[in-house]
Amino acid sequence: MSQPSVLAALLAGLRGGSIEVVDLTSPLSSQTPVIQLPPEFGQTQVFELEEISRYDDRGPAWYWNNFRSGEHTGTHFDAPVHWVTGKDLTDVASVPAGRLIAPAAVLDFSEQAAKDPDFLVEVDHVKAWEAEHGPLPDGGWLLLRTGWDARSESQEAFLNADENGPHTPGLSAECARWVAEEAPVIGLGVETVGTDAGRAHSFEPAFPCHSYLLGGDKYGLTQLQNLGALPPTGAVVIAGPLPIVTGSGAPARVLALVERS
């Protein structure tokens, strides 16, 4: 007797509702918040649509658009080549397709971030999570839930900046190094505008998540939504960035598969 098909079982679960698809992607529009660097640096592009035709003289039976966007606008994937420490590593088009589907560990620090927008996750926080839920998944994602997705409809609230710079939660420099060099995960996913904490410009090294993780041939996912709908363990993440040749990253549709009883 032939063995039951794993793919058939997956499709049956999706159709029957025992496997839920959770969209972790922020809708992409001209209102999507974008990172703002000091004015002496180049700036990323706000997402823009340019109408080509809409059932009119320019194209009577079809509607379509050109679009312009930064690679790192909205929910997006950071490839190693994005940072100087990974400049000789893979671009986004060269990321192996098999690494775009991976298990996830979801660490919830939303209560701490609500009290302190500069909250930093330390190695001890991760090890305490592992003591309760088991080790981080080998070849999986570490997803950091902070509740920051609730701010995503406002550029001002999302960046949360003052005269001293942005104030958003993230990893400490030591935790970023540990995730890059010792944890078995392939990357870090966050709800904030970038993988680093808002005040990471003053860390040593500056922007340690970018520096350590991308330099270690790991990846980033940013501006995720709905992490609160995922369990601490067991979800499978599907990250689909545009395969831009030589690209440092790309907007991505990020989905999670969650088994429901």
Side-chain angles (χ1 to χ4, degrees):
M1 181 179 292
S2 62
Q3 294 294 317
S5 166
V6 174
L7 290 179
L10 172 63
L11 289 173
L14 291 168
R15 290 169 180 163
S18 61
I19 298 176
E20 180 185 359
V21 180
V22 180
D23 197 342
L24 306 183
T25 314
S26 177
L28 190 56
S29 75
S30 61
Q31 302 306 308
T32 299
V34 296
I35 196 168
Q36 290 182 333
L37 301 182
E40 63 268 25
F41 297 119
Q43 305 295 324
T44 194
Q45 171 70 41
V46 173
F47 182 83
E48 294 180 352
L49 278 183
E50 176 193 24
E51 189 174 278
I52 302 172
S53 69
R54 194 178 182 112
Y55 329 120
D56 52 28
D57 292 343
R58 299 169 299 170
W62 53 90
Y63 164 57
W64 57 342
N65 302 286
N66 293 315
F67 69 84
R68 187 181 185 204
S69 176
E71 295 173 324
H72 300 267
T73 297
T75 302
H76 64 270
F77 188 103
D78 288 352
V81 75
H82 175 45
W83 211 250
V84 64
T85 51
K87 65 187 175 93
D88 297 320
L89 301 175
T90 51
D91 63 26
V92 70
S94 303
V95 174
R99 303 193 87 186
L100 299 177
I101 303 175
V106 183
L107 283 62
D108 187 351
F109 297 102
S110 53
E111 289 188 9
Q112 294 92 325
K115 295 175 183 177
D116 177 11
D118 287 319
F119 173 76
L120 297 178
V121 178
E122 303 288 353
V123 176
D124 285 347
H125 291 122
V126 182
K127 291 187 175 181
W129 183 94
E130 288 185 304
E132 180 177 358
H133 299 287
L136 295 175
D138 191 7
W141 288 97
L142 190 163
L143 302 183
L144 186 62
R145 185 188 177 213
T146 57
W148 216 256
D149 57 339
R151 298 169 172 253
S152 63
E153 294 185 1
S154 166
Q155 170 88 3
E156 182 178 0
F158 197 67
L159 298 187
N160 196 36
D162 60 18
E163 65 277 4
N164 297 313
H167 298 274
T168 60
L171 303 186
S172 71
E174 175 55 26
C175 190
R177 186 205 62 76
W178 182 85
V179 170
E181 298 178 3
E182 300 186 42
V185 296
I186 60 169
L188 171 69
V190 300
E191 298 169 331
T192 47
V193 74
T195 53
D196 273 295
R199 55 194 178 102
H201 57 86
S202 63
F203 291 0
E204 181 55 48
F207 306 106
C209 286
H210 285 78
S211 182
Y212 287 130
L213 270 76
L214 300 183
D217 202 22
K218 295 188 176 184
Y219 312 125
L221 288 174
T222 74
Q223 285 182 252
L224 298 173
Q225 301 258 311
N226 302 320
L227 293 185
L230 305 187
T233 64
V236 174
V237 168
I238 303 170
L242 298 173
I244 302 170
V245 175
T246 74
S248 71
R253 187 73 181 262
V254 184
L255 308 174
L257 302 183
V258 180
E259 193 169 3
R260 304 298 189 190
S261 57

